[in-house]
Amino acid sequence: MADPISISLRAWPAQDAGKEALPSLISRINEQRGSFRNITESKLEEEAQAANISQASIEDQTNSLSGVDSQDAKTRREEMSTAREEILKQVLQAYSESAHALDFVSLLLTTKTPRQAEITMSAFLKKSLPLGCLDTDVVQIPQKSEAEKKQDELVSVGWKMQSLDSVADSLLRSATRLEQEIERETKYWGQVLAVKEHGWSLCRLPREKHTLGVRYGFAEAHSDFHDRGLAALRRDADGNVDLDRGIRSSKDRVLRVRVLNQGKPTGSYGKVPDHVFDDVPVETLIMNARNSIFDEELHHELHREARSYISHGIRCIDDRILLPYTDEKEIEIDLLSSTKDEASIDVDLSSDNLVAGSIAISLRILLSHAHRQNLRRRTLAPPRITENKTPRPMYTILRPIVENLQHRSTINSLQNFLNQVTQTLLAAGLNLGIDKPTSPYYLKSLTTTSTSISVTEAFIHALTTPLQSSITIRLPSGLTTIKLEVHTSLQQPFSGTNLQSSILLSQSGSTLASIPELTQSTSPAALEDHVLHLVQLDILSLLASSRDIGDNWTIVAAHAGELGRTNRSTGISDRIFISLGKDHLDSHWQRRGQGLNLVGTQEWQTSTWERSNDRKARGLLATIREAFK
């Protein structure tokens, strides 16, 4: 914008003729030059020449600056034109206002001096209004009495006092409100400081820079759950911290694990925390929110992984995951919310509760381990960039649990079977030695772990490796030992439970020498049949080598359980059949031939020892010795 230009409208002053008179000139010369004696013609010529030189220099400077002035000439003319228009506008406005004032005064004076006032009126006013239509009157202000003046003063004082009281009340209310606001702010920031002292990370909300928030999520969680791990710390009407977790995370949820026996719960672990009291510390609310989002991510990852293990008997029904446990029991995993009705389970602290609690804690530990693996991968060098998007790896959380359940179920089944066989043999007077199953976890790696990983990670790695246990069985003869090995893994190429048995012989002449040292079984039932067959063969070896039942006993058909002997001098032939099951041991014998008191063939005699019966007075060896005296 151009600078304003000030132009004076004052007329040029008229030239005073008295200044050009001779007396005036003489006095001016005396003031400037002094006496006329000091003025000579030569000095006047020198002054004239000096003036001409100075005038020439000024003209040169003017010519040198003319180039610069010519550049601004156009701008200067525009500024002059604009200033002229502005001056004309203001002059016209002043003229219009003065004309209106003149018409007003002239119209007012028409009631007093109409002829003189009509001369100064404008033609428009004369046509519009008649003369004398506007007049003035002098009005005298009424005088107030002393009582009225005193009343007015009292009213004025009353208004002032009322105004002062109103201001005082307003200040008191403001002070009270300010005091309450200070108390609420002090309470709010005290709770925020307590949250900070408990180690929670505070930050600003991304979309609300003026709002303070707390980050309670997990940095290595999936993006869907990582973004939800931020809540606003808002202040309520009482000054308490209101944890605003948003719409998606407003409810607390917890992962529940239950043991179902034919559809009825017999053990449970997991319950939504109750917020009955209003004075719950904000640290507790933040911790509940952290546990809730952790369990939600855990439930989501379990569903992803469960879909790949459907062939192992795992089922996904709505938001529930069902894992096979035993023949009659199964494990149920679901996500329990505060709005979902939870059926009360009136059970004592039993093994099913311990199983459910162990599974729930193990699942949380494995998800934390997966988060640590994500952090380890993130610290490594990034992979090569390709056109195909790298899929998100699936966490290994459910697989160790399923492996442990399958392995534990198989071991328990084998132990129950061997206990039944042991009780059956004890009833027959035979002893079957069974050692406890070895631990399926390779914990020796904890002592030889490298410095690159911690002991905790080495422990988790030992728990997630394929499981392998062994059971050692000492057969009744005392000459043979059987080792049963159970190997469980859901990883390729082994997917499931592999069973094998190995035979350790102390004598080469045993009936078990013809059996392969290492035998693979396809199912626990096949392994049980194989163990029964091996024990039966060992019992045949024991009877054949025992001197208590006589001499010359030989194994006629080992796999059929048949023993026999023949006395050539008397022509008597004896036969024994042994049949072993997990609940019974049967012995059949017969004597036939001619001689002594025996005529013809005797009928088959049978003796049975069952697991449910008490131990008989006579065992297998005593019964056979008595039969063939």
Side-chain angles (χ1 to χ4, degrees), residues 198-302:
H198 279 77
W200 298 103
S201 176
L202 302 180
C203 61
R204 292 182 178 180
L205 296 183
R207 298 183 180 180
E208 300 180 29
K209 300 297 183 181
H210 62 282
T211 305
L212 192 64
V214 57
R215 189 173 295 280
Y216 61 86
F218 297 84
E220 303 304 327
H222 189 251
S223 59
D224 293 343
F225 300 94
H226 176 271
D227 299 339
R228 292 167 52 191
L230 182 63
L233 297 177
R234 306 188 188 277
R235 196 194 72 179
D236 60 6
D238 297 330
N240 296 318
V241 174
D242 183 15
L243 190 66
D244 186 4
R245 294 158 54 184
I247 300 177
R248 296 180 60 187
S249 304
S250 60
K251 300 177 182 178
D252 289 337
R253 297 181 178 180
V254 66
L255 188 75
R256 182 179 61 176
V257 179
R258 297 195 298 176
V259 179
L260 304 181
N261 187 356
Q262 296 181 354
K264 297 181 180 180
T266 58
S268 177
Y269 184 90
K271 182 179 180 181
V272 176
D274 296 330
H275 296 161
V276 178
F277 304 101
D278 296 334
D279 55 349
V280 178
V282 65
E283 299 86 2
T284 304
L285 297 178
I286 296 175
M287 181 59 69
N288 292 339
R290 180 182 178 87
N291 296 337
S292 176
I293 196 172
F294 184 84
D295 285 355
E296 288 182 29
E297 181 186 7
L298 178 58
H299 184 260
H300 174 73
E301 295 298 335
L302 289 177

Side-chain angles (χ1 to χ4, degrees), residues 237-391:
D238 297 330
N240 296 318
V241 174
D242 183 15
L243 190 66
D244 186 4
R245 294 158 54 184
I247 300 177
R248 296 180 60 187
S249 304
S250 60
K251 300 177 182 178
D252 289 337
R253 297 181 178 180
V254 66
L255 188 75
R256 182 179 61 176
V257 179
R258 297 195 298 176
V259 179
L260 304 181
N261 187 356
Q262 296 181 354
K264 297 181 180 180
T266 58
S268 177
Y269 184 90
K271 182 179 180 181
V272 176
D274 296 330
H275 296 161
V276 178
F277 304 101
D278 296 334
D279 55 349
V280 178
V282 65
E283 299 86 2
T284 304
L285 297 178
I286 296 175
M287 181 59 69
N288 292 339
R290 180 182 178 87
N291 296 337
S292 176
I293 196 172
F294 184 84
D295 285 355
E296 288 182 29
E297 181 186 7
L298 178 58
H299 184 260
H300 174 73
E301 295 298 335
L302 289 177
H303 261 281
R304 289 186 62 219
E305 189 179 5
R307 298 187 188 100
S308 60
Y309 295 131
I310 297 178
S311 59
H312 295 277
I314 299 176
R315 295 178 294 163
C316 295
I317 302 175
D318 296 334
D319 61 341
R320 299 183 302 154
I321 302 174
L322 299 176
L323 310 179
Y325 182 33
T326 62
D327 295 338
E328 297 180 353
K329 296 182 180 180
E330 59 183 356
I331 306 298
E332 181 190 52
I333 303 175
D334 61 349
L335 194 63
L336 187 66
S337 61
S338 57
T339 58
K340 186 176 181 180
D341 295 335
E342 181 181 7
S344 60
I345 304 174
D346 188 12
V347 294
D348 299 331
L349 185 62
S350 61
S351 59
D352 288 342
N353 279 346
L354 296 177
V355 169
S358 301
I359 293 176
I361 295 174
S362 301
L363 292 174
R364 291 175 172 87
I365 292 176
L366 292 173
L367 180 58
S368 300
H369 180 66
H371 286 172
R372 179 168 292 189
Q373 295 299 321
N374 289 342
L375 177 61
R376 185 179 299 276
R377 283 192 294 267
R378 192 160 56 88
T379 55
L380 299 177
R384 185 178 60 182
I385 299 177
T386 59
E387 296 180 356
N388 299 327
K389 184 178 179 181
T390 304

